[in-house]
């Protein structure tokens, strides 16, 4: 295993020591003109033990990206991790963790109430047929049921 410090923050995280689900600040960047962006690791499943199926990942990405902006103007992006264990939530500024947890909770509650996956078609999505509202709702439900554990990152 490579022990040299790597440029990507998550590559320096020992994935064996974390206990999903959790939300943690993964990075903070100050941009050249003083603006700040903060990246949160929103981990749904235990790394190297479980993962979300691709239709769930894809649909939850669409739903969260759309619904979260109803709760916050600070949302820049919500991107899935390639390992299919969670997402990166990128926000403008340095919102406090309790506020970010409220944003995530409100957004995932919206997901549970959704009747369709937004932009799940060939015009608005690069793989429009690769969606499952039911799978996205189940992932949201599972994550919400463990709300009390979100701030505990390590076992």
């Amino acid at each position: 295993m490579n022990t040299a410090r790597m440029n990507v923050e998550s590559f320096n995280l020992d994935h064996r020591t974390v206990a999903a689900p959790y939300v943690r600040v993964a990075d903070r960047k100050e941009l050249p003109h003083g603006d700040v962006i903060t990246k949160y690791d929103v981990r749904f499943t235990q790394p190297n033990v479980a993962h979300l199926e691709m239709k769930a990942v894809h649909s939850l990405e669409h739903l969260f990206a759309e619904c979260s902006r109803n709760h916050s103007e600070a949302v820049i992006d919500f991107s899935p991790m390639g390992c299919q264990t969670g997402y990166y939530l990128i926000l403008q500024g340095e919102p406090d963790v309790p506020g970010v947890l409220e944003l995530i909770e409100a957004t995932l509650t919206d997901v549970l109430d959704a009747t369709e996956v937004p932009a799940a078609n060939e015009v608005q999505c690069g793989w429009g047929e690769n969606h499952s509202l039911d799978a996205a709702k189940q992932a949201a439900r599972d994550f919400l049921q463990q709300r009390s554990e979100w701030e505990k990152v390590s076992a």
Side-chain angles (χ1 to χ4, degrees):
M1 184 172 90
N2 185 358
T3 58
R5 184 108 181 120
M6 299 189 76
N7 293 323
V8 177
E9 185 275 341
S10 66
F11 294 167
N12 296 307
L13 176 69
D14 186 339
H15 287 72
R16 300 168 299 178
T17 65
V18 297
Y22 63 80
V23 177
R24 71 178 183 91
V25 174
D27 202 4
R28 177 196 175 279
K29 296 276 189 229
E30 186 167 335
L31 304 179
H33 295 288
D35 294 322
V36 173
I37 58 172
T38 306
K39 178 173 78 171
Y40 296 85
D41 174 345
V42 183
R43 194 70 62 145
F44 275 66
T45 65
Q46 185 62 35
N48 298 300
V49 173
H51 67 277
L52 298 170
E53 293 301 321
M54 198 58 218
K55 285 186 177 187
V57 170
H58 193 189
S59 298
L60 196 53
E61 173 198 13
H62 277 232
L63 285 155
F64 198 101
E66 182 65 21
C67 295
S68 63
R69 288 168 168 88
N70 294 329
H71 300 287
S72 174
E73 293 181 6
V75 175
I76 294 173
D77 193 30
F78 187 71
S79 302
M81 296 175 181
C83 60
Q84 296 172 235
T85 63
Y87 300 84
Y88 288 115
L89 173 61
I90 301 174
L91 300 174
Q92 178 182 0
E94 296 181 84
D96 64 346
V97 172
V100 173
L101 298 181
E102 287 177 22
L103 168 63
I104 293 168
E105 184 173 11
T107 301
L108 293 179
T109 300
D110 290 347
V111 169
L112 296 179
D113 294 334
T115 58
E116 64 181 4
V117 176
N121 59 69
E122 66 182 26
V123 172
Q124 296 173 295
C125 178
W127 194 8
E129 67 184 40
N130 186 47
H131 287 279
S132 171
L133 178 60
D134 290 340
K137 285 184 174 192
Q138 187 60 54
R141 190 175 298 109
D142 292 346
F143 196 71
L144 284 167
Q145 286 175 348
Q146 299 176 76
R147 170 65 173 88
S148 63
E149 300 173 32
W150 292 0
E151 292 183 79
K152 183 179 178 190
V153 176
S154 298

